[in-house]
Amino acid sequence: MLADLAERLNEDAIDATVLEEVDMGALLNAIMSFVEGKPVGSAQRNLSEVINTFLSSERRHRFARIMRKVISVTTEPEILDKPSVVTKFARAMEDAQDAPDSMVGKAALLLFPSCFKSES
């Protein structure tokens, strides 16, 4: 799956190994969980557990802005108000975030365009 994504991104410096190193698989599972409305590729029982577990890893903090957007357009926004989720996001947002023009941002836009439509 990551090899296919790397090919679709169509950039010489990006291959499946690079995507694996940045934990793209975990990001895709987290996004899919919220798109599907239930945990995907995860042992978690609900979406609060999915995002709390996802953001427990410091290397995934850079994806917090992406996940906040996904959550806000795919599920009940109340999940973002749960104290445990608020705490995880507050800590994660202290770190630099991937932008839409980053490798990860481009991949998210490519695979989940409906999650990132501009509200105009």
Side-chain angles (χ1 to χ4, degrees), residues 104-120:
V104 171
K106 288 176 184 176
L109 288 166
L110 177 69
L111 296 175
F112 303 99
S114 63
C115 291
F116 301 99
K117 288 182 188 170
S118 296
E119 290 98 30
S120 36

Side-chain angles (χ1 to χ4, degrees), residues 51-52 54-65 68 83-97:
I51 194 60
N52 280 331
F54 180 78
L55 291 176
S56 290
S57 172
E58 284 191 27
R59 68 184 276 196
R60 297 184 196 141
H61 284 184
R62 62 190 272 192
F63 305 143
R65 182 170 56 188
R68 182 183 296 278
S84 61
V85 175
V86 169
T87 300
K88 292 287 186 185
F89 270 106
R91 171 56 194 99
M93 293 297 287
E94 292 174 359
D95 292 354
Q97 298 294 302

Side-chain angles (χ1 to χ4, degrees), residues 6-109:
E7 189 175 311
R8 290 178 65 191
L9 287 170
N10 198 28
E11 291 189 25
D12 292 337
I14 299 173
D15 62 15
T17 303
V18 171
L19 293 174
E20 189 174 315
E21 287 171 356
V22 297
D23 220 1
M24 191 70 191
L27 176 62
L28 295 178
N29 281 341
I31 292 173
M32 281 301 300
S33 293
F34 287 93
V35 168
E36 294 294 320
K38 62 184 181 190
V40 172
S42 169
Q44 276 49 61
R45 296 170 300 188
N46 60 56
L47 294 175
S48 294
E49 288 181 8
V50 168
I51 194 60
N52 280 331
T53 301
F54 180 78
L55 291 176
S56 290
S57 172
E58 284 191 27
R59 68 184 276 196
R60 297 184 196 141
H61 284 184
R62 62 190 272 192
F63 305 143
R65 182 170 56 188
I66 291 170
M67 288 308 303
R68 182 183 296 278
K69 176 65 175 174
V70 168
I71 292 168
S72 72
V73 300
T74 59
T75 64
E76 301 298 318
E78 294 81 42
I79 195 169
L80 292 170
D81 296 328
K82 291 188 174 193
S84 61
V85 175
V86 169
T87 300
K88 292 287 186 185
F89 270 106
R91 171 56 194 99
M93 293 297 287
E94 292 174 359
D95 292 354
Q97 298 294 302
D98 274 285
D101 62 348
S102 71
M103 172 184 60
V104 171
K106 288 176 184 176
L109 288 166

